[in-house]
Amino acid sequence: MGAGGEQKPPARSDGGVGGGPVRRRQADRSYQRPIGKPMERRASSLQRIKDAADWKRIGLHQKYADQTMARPLMRGWFHALTAFVFTALITLDAHTLSPGPVTWFAVVTFVIPYWASTALHCVPWRRRTAHDLALALDFLGISAGFVGQSVGWVEGMTWRGVDEGASRAVRFAAWCARGNVALAAALVGLLMCALYNRHRQPVMLYCRKARFAIVGANMLLLGCVETALCHDWRLNAALQLLGRVFVPWYFLRCVAVDAGGKGWLPLWDGVWSAHENWHCAILVLHCLQLHAVSIHHDGESAFVTFLEVVGGSGHAGG
């Protein structure tokens, strides 16, 4: 008898009232059954990667996944070649680019941004999500280049503070570098919002003026750092005229999605556009910047070091 005067059902080893234990055993068997084999899950992940882009047509597609712009044939190849060459040079003998800030400067100028642009322009993304992520990384790579260059000029003073007895120019440059870091953090937040709202508005157009303002401020602060620390006035004048005047003017005039000009530089319809001309000018600017920062830190141009690395590797291979 139970506590309430009701008779307890007899205990059974293989079942119970209403077949409860039977259902429990069936549930236990389903619980023990593996949800998916590891090889099947791995194959599924690989399939998703294969479906994300048309990997057989890398660098050959004519449209981006967002269908907003046409893609000239050479778009992205310039970025890939630049990124590959400088990655190889740095990897061959990175320690010869000492001191460390010069190596850092080369990585944030020629490796990270150019590979990010390669992922956007050379890979024919099928999935809009993958394209939007690549586009956001490309925007972030541009800002990261300005920020990394600023930090490369002032070294660790960006984080630990300015050394005692440092000049006003050094103190000013350090504060500009810190400002650039803060702007980059703001851009990260803006791009995260752009990705979150990408179904309502394309990432390319989300808060476009604010994004331009942040990158423009990055550019100006880097110019302040260069002017404060580059003691060769002729080299600094070339950096400012090319980097703060020509490059942004040509972008707004000939490269932006709403630009109407063509400029005087050569164009080849469907193959080579103003965007490629713009990146040629940026590459010249980046080479001048690397030359300037390496002289500032090492007293010798990094390109002399690069030639020594290539020559030494050639002799070693011979």
Side-chain angles (χ1 to χ4, degrees), residues 2 32 97 109 128 132 152 177 192 216 264 274 276 300 304:
Q32 295 173 0
L97 288 174
T109 303
R128 179 67 181 273
D132 289 345
M192 290 178 66
W264 64 89
E276 283 62 54
E300 184 179 49
V304 175

Side-chain angles (χ1 to χ4, degrees), residues 155-285:
E155 302 181 72
M157 288 182 289
T158 308
W159 323 113
R160 70 170 186 267
V162 180
D163 296 334
E164 186 177 354
S167 65
R168 289 183 179 179
V170 172
R171 294 176 184 274
F172 174 70
W175 278 108
C176 289
R178 293 168 191 157
N180 254 345
V181 172
L183 287 170
L187 183 63
V188 169
L190 187 148
L191 291 174
M192 290 178 66
C193 292
L195 290 171
Y196 181 78
N197 293 286
R198 62 190 180 83
H199 295 295
R200 303 175 186 174
Q201 188 176 21
V203 173
M204 175 73 75
L205 302 178
Y206 183 86
C207 292
R208 185 167 177 253
K209 291 182 179 179
R211 175 165 51 85
F212 277 4
I214 291 174
V215 175
N218 283 147
M219 187 186 307
L220 291 176
L221 286 176
L222 174 60
C224 292
V225 173
E226 292 170 344
T227 301
L229 299 182
C230 182
H231 301 300
D232 185 339
W233 70 268
R234 291 179 294 265
L235 178 56
N236 184 53
L239 292 175
Q240 303 316 313
L241 288 174
L242 184 57
R244 256 51 70 185
V245 179
F246 178 77
V247 166
W249 172 83
Y250 190 79
F251 175 82
L252 295 174
R253 169 74 173 161
C254 304
V255 180
V257 292
D258 52 356
K262 293 185 177 180
W264 64 89
L265 297 177
L267 303 173
W268 187 357
D269 190 35
V271 178
W272 186 273
S273 70
H275 186 277
E276 283 62 54
N277 289 327
W278 181 59
H279 271 288
C280 286
I282 290 176
L283 178 61
V284 174
L285 171 64

Side-chain angles (χ1 to χ4, degrees), residues 312-318:
S313 300
H315 291 312

Side-chain angles (χ1 to χ4, degrees), residues 29-307:
R29 284 196 296 269
S30 65
Y31 174 76
Q32 295 173 0
R33 188 181 302 118
I35 297 175
K37 295 181 179 179
M39 290 299 294
E40 292 176 353
R41 292 196 295 270
R42 188 179 306 171
S44 177
S45 299
L46 290 175
Q47 189 61 41
R48 283 196 294 269
I49 295 174
K50 290 180 180 179
D51 293 341
D54 187 357
W55 300 104
K56 294 181 180 179
R57 290 185 55 79
I58 288 181
L60 300 176
H61 54 297
Q62 298 179 344
K63 281 282 189 180
Y64 292 93
D66 61 356
Q67 301 296 318
T68 58
M69 293 187 299
R71 178 191 172 275
L73 182 62
M74 294 304 297
R75 179 71 53 83
W77 288 107
F78 181 83
H79 308 81
L81 178 62
T82 302
F84 175 80
V85 168
F86 278 91
T87 301
L89 286 172
I90 294 170
T91 305
L92 277 173
D93 210 350
H95 72 273
T96 61
L97 288 174
S98 58
V102 180
T103 303
W104 163 268
F105 195 96
V107 170
V108 299
T109 303
F110 296 100
V111 177
I112 296 175
Y114 280 88
W115 279 124
S117 292
T118 300
L120 171 64
H121 296 303
C122 272
V123 179
W125 299 109
R126 286 195 185 113
R127 295 182 181 274
R128 179 67 181 273
T129 303
H131 169 271
D132 289 345
L133 180 60
L135 181 61
L137 290 176
D138 183 56
F139 290 153
L140 187 59
I142 295 171
S143 179
F146 293 125
V147 175
Q149 289 172 0
S150 302
V151 173
W153 274 99
V154 301
E155 302 181 72
M157 288 182 289
T158 308
W159 323 113
R160 70 170 186 267
V162 180
D163 296 334
E164 186 177 354
S167 65
R168 289 183 179 179
V170 172
R171 294 176 184 274
F172 174 70
W175 278 108
C176 289
R178 293 168 191 157
N180 254 345
V181 172
L183 287 170
L187 183 63
V188 169
L190 187 148
L191 291 174
M192 290 178 66
C193 292
L195 290 171
Y196 181 78
N197 293 286
R198 62 190 180 83
H199 295 295
R200 303 175 186 174
Q201 188 176 21
V203 173
M204 175 73 75
L205 302 178
Y206 183 86
C207 292
R208 185 167 177 253
K209 291 182 179 179
R211 175 165 51 85
F212 277 4
I214 291 174
V215 175
N218 283 147
M219 187 186 307
L220 291 176
L221 286 176
L222 174 60
C224 292
V225 173
E226 292 170 344
T227 301
L229 299 182
C230 182
H231 301 300
D232 185 339
W233 70 268
R234 291 179 294 265
L235 178 56
N236 184 53
L239 292 175
Q240 303 316 313
L241 288 174
L242 184 57
R244 256 51 70 185
V245 179
F246 178 77
V247 166
W249 172 83
Y250 190 79
F251 175 82
L252 295 174
R253 169 74 173 161
C254 304
V255 180
V257 292
D258 52 356
K262 293 185 177 180
W264 64 89
L265 297 177
L267 303 173
W268 187 357
D269 190 35
V271 178
W272 186 273
S273 70
H275 186 277
E276 283 62 54
N277 289 327
W278 181 59
H279 271 288
C280 286
I282 290 176
L283 178 61
V284 174
L285 171 64
H286 285 166
C287 291
L288 286 175
Q289 289 171 323
L290 181 61
H291 170 74
V293 77
S294 56
I295 288 179
H296 173 73
H297 287 296
D298 208 19
E300 184 179 49
S301 175
F303 291 98
V304 175
T305 306
F306 279 140
L307 291 175

